[in-house]
Amino acid sequence: MYTFHATFQDQPALHRLVAAYQAPLSALDGLDLIPYKWLHLTMQGIGFTDEVSDADITAIAEAAMARLASVGPVRLTFARPVTDPEALQFHVQPAEQIRRVRHAVRQAIGDVWGPERVPDSEDWTPHVSIAYSHSDGHIEPYAKALEAVQAEPVTLAVGNIQLIVLDRDERVYRWTTRATIPLSGA
């Protein structure tokens, strides 16, 4: 699937924070902890690779680059993860700047396909998951494990987003990058 993400392979401060929260979770069953290399903020889906032409994906990447040319880096703070039925995740704050980036990406897709063909809802909660659930059960043990962690929030700058080809094998999302779109504010 083609999608836009912000990825965090080169963010050691975030990796340390994730490690602090994943450590007590590793003793609990029912979770797939996300390796640092695959930490991501899902922004906007486009479509399955066999349903999107090369010409369209190239045009969408170019339109996104044009729409984001004047947008500078986005600062995001990661505090304490929350529990969700499918994942344990950070809700990043402040959300407004990254929402503006996503809105520009949605407009770029609309530039190529028309606004009525932009996938996914405009309603969106920006988040970065640290573990996915792979079984049914009570949420309390996971919530208690997260509550026990004492860690300082981390703030970092997101200087680009990626247009990626996403796969989910072996219960983890992995990707290859098709295009990197800078948020340089040039």
Side-chain angles (χ1 to χ4, degrees):
M1 175 172 208
Y2 289 118
T3 185
F4 282 95
H5 279 31
T7 61
F8 303 101
Q9 296 94 326
D10 299 322
Q11 295 288 348
L14 178 60
H15 297 175
R16 286 189 295 275
L17 183 65
V18 169
Y21 284 105
Q22 285 183 339
L25 296 172
S26 66
L28 301 174
D29 289 330
L31 293 176
D32 296 318
L33 302 181
I34 299 170
Y36 310 140
K37 179 179 181 176
W38 303 117
L39 292 172
H40 62 279
L41 187 148
T42 303
M43 294 190 66
Q44 176 64 46
I46 300 169
F48 292 106
T49 57
D50 62 342
E51 298 173 354
V52 179
S53 72
D54 282 343
D56 281 359
I57 203 64
T58 298
I60 289 169
E62 290 171 356
M65 202 164 291
R67 286 206 173 260
L68 290 167
S70 63
V71 175
V74 174
R75 296 190 59 76
L76 299 175
T77 298
F78 300 76
R80 182 171 293 280
V82 298
T83 56
D84 176 91
E86 296 179 6
L88 305 176
Q89 56 193 227
F90 293 105
H91 286 187
V92 296
Q93 297 297 324
E96 195 50 42
Q97 289 181 358
I98 199 71
R99 282 191 179 117
R100 281 195 290 266
V101 171
R102 182 177 186 258
H103 181 73
V105 166
R106 290 177 59 79
Q107 288 178 312
I109 296 167
D111 291 344
V112 175
W113 284 347
E116 68 286 346
R117 283 195 52 207
V118 176
D120 304 332
S121 169
E122 184 73 39
D123 187 36
W124 174 69
T125 301
H127 66 277
V128 174
S129 296
I130 63 169
Y132 297 120
S133 173
H134 66 250
S135 62
D136 293 331
H138 295 283
I139 207 161
E140 290 83 18
Y142 310 115
K144 282 185 180 185
L146 294 176
E147 288 172 14
V149 175
Q150 298 299 315
E152 292 295 317
V154 168
T155 300
L156 54 90
V158 174
N160 55 59
I161 62 170
Q162 291 73 36
L163 170 58
I164 64 173
V165 179
L166 181 69
D167 289 304
R168 182 161 185 195
D169 295 321
E170 301 170 15
R171 299 191 320 213
V172 67
Y173 288 105
R174 298 176 188 179
W175 57 82
T176 56
T177 301
R178 173 79 185 232
T180 296
I181 303 185
L183 304 176
S184 59

